[in-house]
Amino acid sequence: MKTERPEARHVSELFEKFGGSVADGFPAIHAPTFRTQNGTPYLKAPGVVMLARPQTNVAGLAGFLEGFDPELKFPEYLEDPTPLPGSSQLCKTAGQTCYMSFGPRRTKNENAAAYFERLTSAGHGSVLEHANFSFLLYGISRSVTHELVRHRAGMGFSQVSQRYVSGTVLRFVERPEYQEDEKLHRLFEERADRAAKEYQEMADSLLERQEGGSAMLSADYKTDARKKVQQTARSLLPNETEAPMVLTGNVRALRHIIEMRADAHAESEIRNLAVRLFLCLVTADPILFGDYEISELPDGTCTVTTEYRKA
Ligand SMILES: Cc1cc2nc3c(=O)[nH]c(=O)nc-3n(C[C@H](O)[C@H](O)[C@H](O)COP(=O)(O)OP(=O)(O)OC[C@H]3O[C@@H](n4cnc5c(N)ncnc54)[C@H](O)[C@@H]3O)c2cc1C
């Protein structure tokens, strides 16, 4: 069975090093929460949790395959002894539908890695659009999510609304560069405390004005009133504010994001995120991401590369 990547051991070592775990087939890399001396919560790394992955019903092809000349032996397709991850199976079945490659001369599942290498190396990535993965991302700053949402093609985002949620869920993200430097770390903690305090004071002042009948802050409904306070108070929140989101992307789009954002020259916080996304994806499907290599840079961070960019 060729579903193992050559450097699979390296991938699993790094997945474990980042604190990764797999529950019921769903990989996750969680991130702990820290607190300043004043109790303001913050995170030092992105948390990545796979929420959804494809499940493929190959048996469902039976009624279709049985309708062709028995000499073509299409129903054999249902008896391939090598199981694939649902995402690889879905993309492979989609690709094989193009040429009606269901008979004995088709590429068998044991050669799925070579099948996808032929597609990605030739830039025929459209079959990769069938498989979608969803993730919860947290421990990521507003500046990282601003970069992430620039990826439009094949992506869906649902991000925390700073207009709706209140200061009770406010958390911050410490950049890697501040974590090892005593002074920069102290300044970060002071900033986080100050931002949380100023936000609360501003929200309280706005609420007072609203209750005092301010025309700018008035609203007919309670939710609208709360939004008017919070949409104004959020103006003073820094880029370091945590901005959790659920992200869904098809494999073609996710590959592009990994290539752009886990590149050695990418911004360090988004690279940390892209590396974790890659580790979860390659753990879930070692075939669709089988052409990627992950390596460690001199500063101990990681980068992900492939020969077949932008399939
Ligand atoms: C290191 C780095 C530095 C950056 N610096 C800046 C900066 O200074 N300022 C700034 O504004 N942005 C910057 N960006 C963001 C960058 O310009 C892109 O907006 C972002 O990376 C999204 O990638 P994409 O354009 O490939 O789009 P995606 O939405 O990821 O689309 C994937 C691919 O689909 C195709 N596609 C998508 N939409 C269209 C379309 N409308 N028409 C035709 N083809 C389309 C393209 O081939 C595209 O590459 C930077 C990105 C990186 C990685």
Side-chain angles (χ1 to χ4, degrees):
M1 177 165 153
K2 272 196 182 169
T3 53
E4 280 285 288
R5 305 168 73 242
E7 70 277 20
R9 203 174 60 84
H10 190 211
V11 164
S12 64
E13 274 168 16
L14 284 172
F15 183 66
E16 267 177 46
K17 184 179 152 188
F18 281 105
S21 58
V22 182
D24 296 329
F26 291 92
I29 299 177
H30 280 285
T33 308
F34 300 84
R35 283 183 187 274
T36 64
Q37 282 190 352
N38 287 351
T40 307
Y42 69 92
L43 294 97
K44 296 182 177 194
V48 174
V49 184
M50 188 178 283
L51 295 179
R53 55 180 294 184
Q55 184 183 14
T56 301
N57 173 25
V58 181
L61 293 171
F64 170 60
L65 300 179
E66 284 158 7
F68 292 90
D69 183 345
E71 299 224 331
L72 292 169
K73 299 188 176 156
F74 279 177
E76 237 188 46
Y77 192 77
L78 311 175
E79 286 151 27
D80 195 313
T82 309
L84 295 178
S87 34
S88 298
Q89 183 63 67
L90 178 59
C91 296
K92 185 164 174 284
T93 299
Q96 290 182 315
T97 301
C98 295
Y99 296 166
M100 292 297 281
S101 303
F102 299 114
R105 291 179 59 202
R106 72 187 186 280
T107 301
K108 309 288 189 317
N109 282 358
E110 65 171 346
N111 294 319
Y115 177 83
F116 286 110
E117 189 162 351
R118 282 199 296 278
L119 290 179
T120 49
S121 63
H124 291 312
S126 63
V127 295
L128 305 178
E129 294 171 15
H130 293 286
N132 282 264
F133 288 85
S134 298
F135 292 92
L136 167 71
L137 308 179
Y138 65 96
I140 49 173
S141 71
R142 190 79 175 181
S143 54
V144 155
T145 62
H146 182 74
E147 293 183 358
L148 205 52
V149 299
R150 295 294 303 275
H151 293 283
R152 309 143 285 174
M155 300 301 300
F157 306 95
S158 296
Q159 183 171 21
V160 72
S161 166
Q162 288 184 340
R163 290 184 68 201
Y164 188 84
V165 303
S166 71
T168 53
V169 293
L170 196 56
R171 306 198 298 187
F172 297 87
V173 177
E174 184 177 24
R175 286 190 63 80
E177 294 83 353
Y178 302 155
Q179 293 171 20
E180 304 305 322
D181 184 299
E182 205 181 315
K183 183 174 176 199
L184 295 180
H185 173 67
R186 182 172 49 76
L187 289 173
F188 164 78
E189 287 208 345
E190 286 172 8
R191 249 188 345 267
D193 283 339
R194 198 163 54 240
K197 186 166 168 276
E198 283 179 357
Y199 176 85
Q200 199 49 55
E201 284 171 359
M202 179 61 77
D204 291 345
S205 305
L206 291 164
L207 201 61
E208 254 175 49
R209 279 164 177 70
Q210 190 184 62
E211 284 164 0
S214 159
M216 290 281 281
L217 295 163
S218 73
D220 291 339
Y221 299 102
K222 216 174 163 187
T223 308
D224 289 344
R226 192 173 60 204
K227 275 185 178 169
K228 281 201 166 176
V229 165
Q230 270 138 207
Q231 78 190 6
T232 310
R234 74 170 169 172
S235 63
L236 47 80
L237 290 176
N239 265 349
E240 289 167 323
T241 306
E242 187 196 29
M245 62 160 59
V246 169
L247 166 153
T248 297
N250 70 53
V251 167
R252 193 181 204 185
L254 289 166
R255 282 178 58 102
H256 181 60
I257 289 183
I258 290 165
E259 287 153 29
M260 302 284 282
R261 306 300 186 171
D263 185 88
H265 303 292
E267 189 275 321
S268 50
E269 195 193 338
I270 202 165
R271 181 150 51 83
N272 275 345
L273 172 66
V275 163
R276 283 165 172 77
L277 269 174
F278 165 71
L279 286 171
C280 288
L281 283 164
V282 75
T283 299
D285 192 328
I287 298 173
L288 291 182
F289 296 86
D291 52 313
Y292 283 100
E293 277 186 18
I294 184 163
S295 51
E296 285 169 280
L297 296 167
D299 65 0
T301 62
C302 291
T303 182
V304 182
T305 51
T306 177
E307 223 183 303
Y308 311 128
R309 285 175 73 96
K310 213 163 181 190

